[in-house]
Amino acid sequence: MAETRTISARKGNSDAGSEAPAKPQRTRITKRKANENHARSYFEAIANRDVDGVLSHWSDEGVIDLVPLGVLRGSAQIRGFFRELFGAFPDAEMTVTRLAAGQTEVAVEWRMSATFTGEPFQGVEATGRPVELRGIDLIEIEDGKNVSNTAYYDGMAFGRAVGLLPQQDSSAERAMKGAVNAVTKARRVVADLRYRTAA
């Protein structure tokens, strides 16, 4: 009995029979679950190619760092990017393969399948080629809104898929590498000649 009274007194509860306060861990778990649900809803809007739905998950000053492409700042740029993306890839399908939610951030691994049959994308006319990508987004959430997202995916694979770069191990790729190597060797020769002349 003495031990029970001591524990109750430490908790500031003189009534040993009353309920203990909720553990802080439950709050953390609830916040993680809310962030997980928010991220799933965000990617569902992307999968549905719903620009307004995507924007509803963002704060007005949100920032997306698309590592292969560049940084988007604010609602207008984010809206413009997704309009362009969905216009260029009208059959785009997005699937979440793994998701890990924390107190303020969510990591989402995804796969996208699409065909480049629509409008131009990043200045490139539609090539009609299929695109298969996988990537990961690291989303920071505050007050139920995305405030930042760093999105990683293979920019070279995307370039190959849409026809900006030659296919891997193709004769065109070997020719391109040969041209780059020839230019690099020529620059070394010129730099070496300049060094000898200056000496």
Side-chain angles (χ1 to χ4, degrees), residues 56-73:
S56 71
H57 291 80
W58 278 94
S59 72
D60 291 339
E61 299 80 29
V63 176
I64 301 180
D65 181 2
L66 293 163
V67 173
L69 285 181
V71 178
L72 309 171
R73 298 182 188 281

Side-chain angles (χ1 to χ4, degrees), residues 108-193:
V108 182
E109 183 184 72
W110 50 263
R111 287 183 179 273
M112 188 182 91
S113 299
T115 315
F116 191 13
T117 56
E119 299 165 8
F121 183 73
Q122 300 292 297
V124 179
E125 293 290 331
T127 59
R129 295 188 179 198
V131 176
E132 296 281 340
L133 280 182
R134 60 184 185 149
I136 188 164
D137 283 24
L138 299 177
I139 305 168
E140 185 180 359
I141 301 169
E142 287 180 9
D143 300 322
K145 296 285 185 180
N146 299 351
V147 293
S148 73
N149 179 16
T150 304
Y152 299 89
Y153 62 92
D154 188 341
M156 186 171 277
F158 178 79
R160 285 181 172 136
V162 299
L164 283 173
L165 294 172
Q167 294 301 309
Q168 189 169 9
D169 299 326
S170 66
S171 57
E173 185 187 54
R174 287 192 294 275
M176 186 177 72
K177 286 180 181 177
V180 169
N181 289 338
V183 169
T184 302
K185 288 174 185 173
R187 285 183 179 153
R188 285 186 191 145
V189 169
V190 170
D192 189 42
L193 287 172

Side-chain angles (χ1 to χ4, degrees), residues 14-57:
S14 57
D15 183 5
S18 56
E19 243 179 66
K23 294 180 180 179
Q25 183 181 7
R26 288 209 178 272
T27 304
R28 289 195 291 272
I29 289 171
T30 302
K31 184 129 187 217
R32 284 200 299 268
K33 189 63 177 173
N35 287 342
E36 176 185 339
N37 291 340
H38 175 83
R40 287 191 186 281
S41 173
Y42 173 59
F43 273 85
E44 186 176 321
I46 295 172
N48 291 331
R49 300 181 293 283
D50 177 4
V51 175
D52 290 334
V54 169
L55 261 290
S56 71
H57 291 80

